[in-house]
Amino acid sequence: MNRLVAPILLFVLGAVAVQLVVFGNYVDYVRPGHGPLLAIAGGLLMAAGVWGVVAGLRADPEESAGAARLARARVHTRGPLAADRETLERLRADEQTEGHDHSRVPGVGWLLVLPVFLVLLVPPPALGAFAADRAGAEVPRPATVATEALSGPGPVPVELHDYAERAAWGDGRTLTGHTVVLTGFVTPREEGGWYLSRMVISCCAADARSYLVETAGAPAERVPARNSWQQVTGTYAPGDGTHTARITALEVRPVAAPQDPYELP
């Protein structure tokens, strides 16, 4: 019945949120620290859904049919424009004498639940090359550019967005003379070659920003598979005069996707 569709949707949406937290897939959509909040919200949605189903099953079908008729007729039941008692009783009587319940929805209406179940069974992956390629290679302007030098004599692990900002907006001053290690996914370039890419989120995937670092050098001549995760060891290379980032690859090797696919600002 119509009154059951909404609470069932609430329950399924809550179940989706809870299962994302239980299996750890929630980091594909929000930052790790939001996991407990997502679990609480999912639990509340499930509880509201169960309450709605129980209340709907206990409701009087005749009253529900009359309420549906009143809603369709746009009759006011309260306030200065409220219809008189005789009119309301007549509408309820008409609803009952029709011999069927308009509060029922066609079976196809339950297909509204199908997309939610699909997300529950097959959750979409984290943002990847498709989203990164649409944003372009220009590095977003940071509020401040890091000025401290990298530490460590050997290859220094650096977050990809940090490297991109230092290279594009700091002219590579803090990167020159250092060997760095970057990890990201592959975004092919239309002109040939590929970018090492990463998405940065402040809250969730909806506010994600893409950072792309063009790879150059002999180890980067072979283009890895799109969206595959790679670890690049290399040195700073000047860009093309725009606010883009580039790296001369000394070594490129495939790695497993990290548990947290997004970087944080």
Side-chain angles (χ1 to χ4, degrees):
M1 301 177 74
N2 195 22
R3 60 179 176 272
L4 296 182
V5 175
I8 289 176
L9 282 174
L10 282 178
F11 179 86
V12 176
L13 285 172
V16 170
V18 171
Q19 72 89 19
L20 287 175
V21 175
V22 170
F23 292 101
N25 297 328
Y26 73 97
V27 293
D28 289 348
Y29 313 102
V30 298
R31 58 192 301 160
H34 291 174
L37 297 176
L38 185 62
I40 293 172
L44 292 175
L45 286 175
M46 293 177 68
V50 171
W51 180 86
V53 169
V54 173
L57 292 176
R58 289 181 176 179
D60 187 344
E62 293 184 357
E63 291 183 2
S64 297
R69 166 56 67 87
L70 293 178
R72 286 191 300 276
R74 298 179 180 273
V75 173
H76 294 275
T77 59
R78 298 179 182 178
L81 299 179
D84 56 77
R85 181 184 299 272
E86 180 181 351
T87 300
L88 296 177
E89 291 178 352
R90 178 174 54 80
L91 289 174
R92 292 193 179 98
D94 290 344
E95 182 70 26
Q96 296 173 10
T97 56
E98 286 182 5
H100 56 278
D101 185 359
H102 286 285
S103 65
R104 296 186 180 275
V105 294
V108 70
W110 289 98
L111 291 179
L112 293 171
V113 186
L114 182 59
V116 185
F117 273 113
L118 290 178
V119 174
L120 178 63
L121 299 175
V122 188
L127 296 176
F130 179 84
D133 186 49
R134 295 301 180 276
E138 185 167 336
V139 177
R141 183 170 187 170
T144 57
V145 180
T147 57
E148 68 277 8
L150 299 178
S151 60
V156 182
V158 181
E159 289 188 322
L160 191 141
H161 80 279
D162 185 22
Y163 176 92
E165 291 175 352
R166 290 170 183 263
W169 293 94
D171 298 325
R173 289 186 296 269
T174 58
L175 299 172
T176 303
H178 293 277
T179 301
V180 300
V181 179
L182 306 179
T183 301
F185 58 86
V186 174
T187 301
R189 297 178 70 234
E190 293 183 1
E191 305 84 354
W194 54 284
Y195 297 107
L196 192 68
S197 315
R198 205 71 185 261
M199 307 297 290
V200 175
I201 64 173
S202 298
C203 174
C204 59
D207 61 28
R209 293 165 292 165
S210 61
Y211 288 78
L212 291 79
V213 176
E214 180 186 350
T215 59
E221 291 178 354
R222 182 185 63 83
V223 180
R226 181 185 180 94
N227 278 322
S228 63
W229 284 84
Q230 306 288 328
Q231 186 176 85
V232 175
T233 302
T235 57
Y236 165 74
D240 58 3
T242 61
H243 295 295
T244 56
R246 201 162 182 257
I247 187 172
T248 299
L250 304 176
E251 180 186 8
V252 178
R253 66 183 186 90
V255 293
Q259 183 178 359
D260 298 337
Y262 302 122
E263 290 182 346
L264 303 179

